[in-house]
Amino acid sequence: MTELLIHSQNKIRKISPNILRDTVYIVKTTGKEEFNAYYTNQEAIVIPKKELKFLTFEKRKKDVEETLIHEYLHIYTRYNIKKREELYSLIGFNKISPFLIPPEIEKIRITNPDNYELDYVIKLPNEKNVMTNYAMLLTSKYPKYDGTKGFIGAFSTLFGYLDEQIYSVNEKGEVSNNKVEIPKSVYEKTGKISSYNYGPDEIIAEAFKAMVTTDWENNKKYSKRDKEILTQIKEVIK
């Protein structure tokens, strides 16, 4: 693990040494608190213990290193607010105030430690082609959490609970109770660098991971918009 940390930091320094802080803590947990997912808390990267297995395999090393790079970016945006604003605006997200989540949505909202700033919206055309603010909120499909006991429970939690839709926000900053499917027009702003579209910080972190770990400038899988985003992010963080 130490080798992977050093290697990932060296790769990041080649892109921008500004991303790294003087001290970053690594915390190992059971993983049960966040569905066996990596996440950050202040200056710490929290890693579920299952992710520390089989690190002698190159594929596992690659996966862990790429995830570490993604998590470093979350810490950077947490402590560099001005840069965070610039990065979010590159993909169309801007902060609004007030930002009011109704109790019905708050009750089913799924927290994400790396997407702690919820009051950012993206302006997109609605079904009537009227430009409207939308918020990317992680919510459950169901009003009640049934736990992860057994195979069915674990499977449902990972693939059945998460509702990948967005919520409109009116001029008063009030989030609507009605969710809508993410329109294709969103990708004209956010690109399609990754399918992990769970809020602006996740989108930027995935873009940063691609920047550090791939030859993105010559990679045909990235669209013109993707490369524009990556070029702009590189400029902001240099």
Side-chain angles (χ1 to χ4, degrees):
M1 195 65 202
T2 301
E3 178 188 331
L4 288 174
L5 287 163
I6 293 170
H7 199 226
S8 63
Q9 290 173 8
N10 287 339
K11 283 187 174 181
I12 289 171
R13 284 191 186 94
K14 290 179 181 178
I15 301 297
S16 173
N18 298 323
I19 297 297
L20 299 171
R21 296 179 68 78
D22 292 338
T23 302
V24 173
Y25 299 92
I26 305 297
V27 179
K28 180 177 76 171
T29 75
T30 63
K32 292 180 180 179
E33 75 281 8
E34 286 291 336
F35 303 113
N36 283 313
Y38 291 75
Y39 63 95
T40 62
N41 186 325
Q42 299 179 68
E43 295 179 282
I45 297 175
V46 183
I47 304 175
K49 65 180 182 180
K50 78 174 186 64
E51 290 295 313
L52 304 179
K53 296 180 179 179
F54 310 114
L55 290 182
T56 53
F57 295 97
E58 288 303 315
K59 175 67 167 64
R60 286 289 301 123
K61 284 183 180 180
K62 182 175 182 291
D63 289 344
V64 171
E65 182 176 278
E66 288 183 353
T67 307
L68 286 172
I69 290 167
H70 171 111
E71 299 301 330
Y72 280 120
L73 198 281
H74 285 315
I75 295 175
Y76 174 77
T77 56
R78 179 175 287 121
Y79 289 101
N80 293 273
I81 298 172
K82 185 178 178 182
K83 293 292 185 181
R84 181 175 72 210
E85 300 283 325
E86 290 182 56
L87 291 169
Y88 284 13
S89 68
L90 292 179
I91 54 172
F93 284 87
N94 293 289
K95 198 177 187 73
I96 65 166
S97 182
F99 183 78
L100 307 170
I101 302 176
E104 296 85 354
I105 302 302
E106 188 61 40
K107 185 171 66 173
I108 59 170
R109 188 171 66 82
I110 298 172
T111 59
N112 177 355
D114 295 322
N115 202 38
Y116 49 90
E117 293 276 1
L118 301 176
D119 51 351
Y120 285 87
V121 296
I122 185 169
K123 194 175 286 291
L124 303 167
N126 65 14
E127 70 280 357
K128 296 180 180 179
N129 209 32
V130 176
M131 296 304 289
T132 304
N133 282 332
Y134 288 95
M136 282 188 174
L137 298 175
L138 282 179
T139 54
S140 168
K141 292 179 181 178
Y142 313 107
K144 183 175 180 292
Y145 173 62
D146 294 323
T148 59
K149 290 182 179 180
F151 174 78
I152 293 175
F155 186 85
S156 296
T157 299
L158 286 173
F159 301 103
Y161 276 83
L162 191 60
D163 206 346
E164 295 184 49
Q165 300 192 46
I166 57 177
Y167 294 82
S168 63
V169 183
N170 66 21
E171 297 82 2
K172 297 179 181 178
E174 298 168 333
V175 177
S176 168
N177 287 327
N178 300 318
K179 57 199 168 203
V180 298
E181 288 187 17
I182 299 177
K184 291 182 179 178
S185 58
V186 73
Y187 302 115
E188 295 172 10
K189 294 188 176 183
T190 66
K192 283 189 173 181
I193 297 168
S194 168
S195 60
Y196 199 58
N197 295 311
Y198 297 152
D201 219 81
E202 298 292 0
I203 295 170
I204 292 293
E206 282 291 279
F208 179 68
K209 180 178 78 176
M211 183 186 303
V212 175
T213 62
T214 69
D215 180 17
W216 58 272
E217 291 171 300
N218 300 306
N219 194 324
K220 293 182 179 179
K221 87 169 186 176
Y222 296 123
S223 67
K224 180 182 178 182
R225 177 57 184 150
D226 293 339
K227 292 180 179 179
E228 283 176 355
I229 292 169
L230 290 164
T231 301
Q232 291 169 337
I233 290 174
K234 190 174 182 179
E235 185 66 23
V236 170
I237 65 176
K238 70 178 183 180

